[in-house]
Amino acid sequence: HQIFDTLVAFDAKGEMQPFLLESFKPNDDFTVWTFKLRPNVKLSNGKPANADVVVRNQNYLKNSPVTGPAFKYSGVTAITKADDLSWTVTLAKKTTDYPLTYATQLGVVADPDWLESNDGLAPIGTGPFVLDKWEIGNKLTVRKNPDYWRKDANGTQMPYLDSVEFR
């Protein structure tokens, strides 16, 4: 969660809420969900986080031998761009809680070029921090993402810290 934000997150009451999303809405029979991103969100490399990025991420994950089974279990039949910030997910069966999927690893937004490169050592996401140094088995240092989208309740730009070191 330092380098990647999810599309959906849980609030203090444990209820799912849009996070990177502005909204999500099902059709009448819960077989098609429409998702809309917040405007002006950027990846940590400065590229826009838009529907093209999310659809490409989702289709990559859907076809992955690691994450693909979760899409199959959910009955995902199509992931389609609707407009610059929106996409739809079509399901083979009624699924009233599909947005929960986006609170997991399947809901992170990453640079699709990085994701498809399988370079786990140089992650590019939408989170509050970017990778600075990683000494595997010793420490990982992240620094403030200057393009981070979130502000606190007082309008102060987040994150508050310039860097964090994990050991």
Side-chain angles (χ1 to χ4, degrees):
H1 287 285
Q2 303 310 310
I3 295 173
F4 299 101
D5 284 328
T6 53
L7 294 163
V8 171
F10 294 97
D11 65 17
K13 296 177 183 177
E15 297 176 13
M16 67 178 169
Q17 301 294 330
F19 192 59
L20 276 178
L21 292 174
E22 185 175 275
S23 64
F24 52 83
K25 181 180 176 184
N27 66 352
D28 289 341
D29 68 358
F30 294 89
T31 59
V32 178
W33 284 84
T34 301
F35 298 92
K36 183 174 184 177
L37 282 167
R38 295 175 186 276
N40 304 315
V41 174
K42 293 182 181 179
L43 295 160
S44 61
N45 60 6
K47 293 179 185 177
N50 56 31
D52 289 320
V53 166
V54 175
V55 168
R56 192 168 154 197
N57 279 202
Q58 291 296 297
N59 280 310
Y60 176 81
L61 295 170
K62 181 177 181 260
N63 294 317
S64 164
V66 175
T67 53
F71 287 86
K72 186 174 182 177
Y73 175 80
S74 296
V76 174
T77 60
I79 303 163
T80 310
K81 177 182 172 180
D83 62 39
D84 287 344
L85 294 176
S86 304
W87 69 98
T88 60
V89 176
T90 304
L91 305 164
K93 58 186 177 183
K94 176 181 180 175
T95 308
T96 59
D97 61 355
Y98 185 77
L100 286 174
T101 303
Y102 286 158
T104 71
Q105 174 186 351
L106 301 179
V108 300
V109 177
D111 181 297
D113 293 326
W114 168 78
L115 184 64
E116 294 167 9
S117 76
N118 291 310
D119 177 7
L121 300 178
I124 301 169
T126 57
F129 295 94
V130 297
L131 181 65
D132 187 30
K133 296 177 192 163
W134 190 0
E135 297 173 29
I136 296 173
N138 184 26
K139 65 182 176 181
L140 181 134
T141 306
V142 293
R143 62 182 158 70
K144 180 186 275 193
N145 177 354
D147 292 322
Y148 193 54
W149 62 276
R150 285 185 68 200
K151 293 183 179 181
D152 68 14
N154 297 318
T156 303
Q157 184 66 45
M158 297 175 75
Y160 304 122
L161 302 173
D162 291 328
S163 65
V164 178
E165 182 177 286
F166 299 94
R167 290 185 172 258

